[in-house]
């Protein structure tokens, strides 16, 4: 069977995990908070994706995507759990008896039931299941209080957490016994699971004495001298043997977080080699299967691309790049994306399945034929140009990717709802209510008040960084505008009203991206100018003489603020113009978290606008007032 990469790899948006919240300010007619039967709807959506994936030749499907958050792990005083509450932690979903008192039983029962029902659907279609998670996973502090000998490495990121968080020590036989029992419970409920993809050293996971642990190398002192290769190989072998003892053959592929330039790799080449040679067949680390290091059959995986345009949903961009090795695979796992892109991606993959895609000409030829099937021969070239322009925008925005920029800025740092004012510390609690509880900030007021302090990364700080950021937006904006214009032309050419409506929504989504890009540019420029002005320490003249004009930096700062207000007015108008989803919003205020916007964004944008307009005279504290 051909690798899925031979068919086509797609850049799609991935809906972020849901979240927690209290404010109930809603624009009438926009937020739809009717709960209905969400679980039934989610299961029906999973069934739909499974049927389409099967038709496309899939042999397996991920079952852990979009599971309910383990909200019981959330901490009002610490944002860090937001990075791991959406993970399928083995010990927390299928806890053995020793673990049960320290996890939420209702959560475990609910999620295990969902997974069991998903597996029943896969059984109906003859599909196997894939389990994606991070392991060894963080455990509650109460667990380690009860079992102090099992405390393993500290795994939180110190600049992004307020509490120390620990994973279990997997050298200890008692921990391995718990994992064995948990694995067997999982396979009893979900016998279709055949592949485990585990990430480590990130988002609440890690091995003792791994050099890449965020707090620094650390772990259980009793096992410090044990080679890391033995620790990792022992953990993986224990899980595989537990499954075998229960009558199941499973495979596991462990991947540490891919290190950026400033990070230490989890496994050095020598340690990786030692791990691989200790593994039996069916177990792999970094895609190398034991015991000889052959390439592990991860499956011909259709990987969703970057989250470049998130939190805007419904934008699917076929990639023009050549990717994938084209090697044969016995496992095919197809990712059709979120509910707003599933059907498009299905049509795309079906139309291009089996076509040669090795050269640029072949890919363009296949996509041109698909474009014609979507919009007709007369608009196919327009659609191809749209895809090419959006591909280019993704490339430009990837330069700013310390985490997808729009997601980190407008969601994790709530640019979309936080007011831009010269003295944010002077805002009242009511003026901060929409954003302050939901910005990812684990330090103090200085960091919370800084528009570009995102997860203790001031990656866009300073005048030079601002200029580079602006250049990236400057290159992206004309491409977005051109794509929007072409989508409008496609819409106007549609004779069927339903088709016109579909393309109208696509245009609104592209317009939303344009507004968010402009807002991001405003935020970075505003903070750079604000920092510059405050660093000068120039006091305003109390009694400016007649003829004093506004200084260039005062005019600049206030012009940025006004542009942001007008951009937000336009964005709010856009959001209120349709009931179709434009942004990924949590279904209820209680589901909002740091990682996901709430349902009341239009009202919160209005609150942001009103707050900014109420603080125009605050600039008088920075600058001499003009007296022309």
């Amino acid at each position: 069977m051909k690798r899925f990469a031979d068919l086509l790899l797609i850049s799609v948006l991935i809906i972020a995990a849901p979240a927690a919240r209290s404010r109930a300010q809603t624009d009438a007619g926009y937020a739809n908070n009717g709960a209905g039967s969400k679980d039934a709807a989610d299961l029906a959506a999973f069934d739909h994706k499974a049927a389409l994936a099967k038709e496309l030749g899939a042999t397996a499907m991920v079952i852990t995507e979009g599971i309910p958050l383990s909200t019981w792990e959330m901490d009002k005083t610490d944002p860090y759990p937001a990075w791991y509450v959406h993970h399928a932690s083995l010990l927390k979903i299928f806890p053995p008896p020793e673990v049960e008192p320290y996890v939420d039983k209702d959560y475990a029962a609910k999620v295990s039931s969902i997974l069991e029902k998903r597996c029943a659907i896969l059984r109906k279609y003859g599909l196997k299941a894939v389990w994606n998670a991070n392991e060894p996973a963080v455990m509650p502090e109460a667990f380690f209080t009860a079992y102090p000998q099992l405390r393993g490495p500290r795994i939180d990121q110190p600049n992004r957490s307020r509490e120390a968080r620990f994973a279990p020590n997997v050298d200890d036989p008692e921990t391995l016994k718990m994992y064995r029992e948990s694995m067997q419970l999982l396979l009893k409920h979900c016998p279709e699971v055949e592949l485990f993809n585990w990430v480590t050293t990130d988002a609440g996971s890690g091995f003792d004495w791994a050099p890449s642990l965020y707090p620094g190398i650390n772990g259980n002192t009793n096992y410090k001298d044990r080679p890391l290769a033995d620790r990792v190989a022992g953990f993986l072998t224990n899980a595989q043997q537990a499954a075998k003892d229960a009558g199941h053959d499973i495979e596991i592929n462990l991947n540490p977080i891919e290190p950026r330039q400033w990070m230490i790799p989890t496994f050095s080449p020598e340690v990786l080699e030692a791990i691989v040679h200790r593994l039996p067949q069916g177990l792999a680390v970094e895609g190398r299967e034991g015991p000889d290091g052959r390439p592990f059959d991860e499956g011909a995986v259709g990987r969703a691309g970057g989250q470049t345009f998130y939190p805007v949903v419904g934008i699917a961009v076929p990639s023009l790049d050549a990717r994938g090795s084209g090697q044969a695979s016995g496992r095919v796992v197809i990712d059709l994306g979120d509910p707003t892109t599933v059907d498009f991606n299905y049509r795309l993959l079906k139309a291009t399945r089996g076509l040669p895609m090795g050269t640029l000409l072949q890919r363009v030829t296949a996509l041109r034929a698909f474009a014609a099937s979507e919009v007709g021969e007369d608009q196919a070239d327009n659609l191809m140009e749209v895809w090419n322009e959006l591909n280019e925008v993704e490339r430009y925005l990837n330069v700013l990717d310390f985490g997808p920029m729009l997601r980190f800025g407008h969601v994790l740092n709530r640019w979309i709802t936080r007011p831009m004012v010269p003295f944010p510390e002077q805002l009242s609690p009511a003026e901060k209510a929409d954003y302050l509880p939901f910005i990812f900030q684990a330090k103090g007021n200085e960091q919370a008040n800084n528009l570009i302090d995102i997860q203790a990364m001031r990656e866009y700080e300073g005048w030079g960084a601002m200029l580079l950021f602006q250049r990236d937006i400057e290159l992206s904006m004309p491409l977005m505008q051109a794509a929007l214009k072409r989508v409008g032309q496609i819409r106007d050419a549609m004779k069927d009203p339903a088709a016109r409506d579909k393309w109208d929504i696509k245009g609104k989504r592209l317009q939303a991206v344009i507004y968010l890009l402009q807002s991001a540019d405003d935020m970075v420029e505003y903070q750079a100018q604000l920092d510059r002005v405050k660093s000068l320490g120039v006091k305003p003249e109390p009694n400016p003489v007649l003829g004093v004009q506004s200084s260039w930096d005062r005019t600049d700062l206030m012009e940025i603020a006004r542009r942001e207000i007008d951009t937000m007015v336009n964005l709010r108008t856009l959001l209120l113009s349709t009931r179709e989803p434009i942004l990924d919003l949590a279904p209820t205020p209680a589901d909002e978290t740091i990682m996901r916007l709430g349902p009341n964004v239009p009202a919160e944008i209005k609150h942001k606008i009103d707050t900014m307009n109420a603080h125009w005279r605050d600039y008088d504290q920075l600058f001499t007032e003009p007296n022309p």
Side-chain angles (χ1 to χ4, degrees), residues 54 87 100 118 213 292-293 315 334 438 482 590:
K54 177 66 176 180
H87 290 162
E100 279 187 354
R118 289 182 177 184
L213 292 166
D292 55 8
I315 300 178
I334 297 176
F438 299 105

Side-chain angles (χ1 to χ4, degrees), residues 512-628:
V513 172
I514 291 170
Y515 290 145
L516 293 183
L517 288 175
Q518 181 60 66
S519 177
D521 190 48
D522 293 342
M523 291 287 171
V524 173
E525 184 180 0
Y526 188 91
Q527 190 65 54
Q529 183 69 283
L530 187 64
D531 288 345
R532 175 193 164 275
V533 170
K534 289 184 176 180
S535 71
L536 296 175
V538 177
K539 294 183 179 181
E541 293 183 41
N543 300 296
V545 298
L546 191 64
V548 168
Q549 301 293 318
S550 177
S551 63
W552 78 269
D553 38 16
R554 176 184 180 275
T555 298
D556 181 62
L557 204 59
M558 297 180 77
E559 183 178 338
I560 299 167
R562 178 54 192 267
R563 187 172 63 218
E564 178 68 9
I565 288 171
D566 294 338
T567 299
M568 289 295 105
V569 169
N570 294 338
L571 176 59
R572 179 173 176 270
T573 301
L574 177 73
L575 296 177
L576 292 172
S577 70
T578 177
R579 294 184 65 85
E580 291 295 319
I582 302 295
L583 304 177
D584 174 37
L585 304 180
T588 70
D591 290 317
E592 182 180 1
T593 61
I594 289 166
M595 297 291 180
R596 195 180 190 190
L597 298 172
N600 304 316
V601 164
E604 292 168 0
I605 290 176
K606 178 63 164 57
H607 189 218
K608 166 182 174 171
I609 293 166
D610 292 345
T611 299
M612 290 180 67
N613 278 321
H615 286 268
W616 283 115
R617 296 310 299 251
D618 291 5
Y619 293 91
D620 298 344
Q621 300 174 52
L622 277 179
F623 302 101
T624 297
E625 299 170 49
N627 190 16

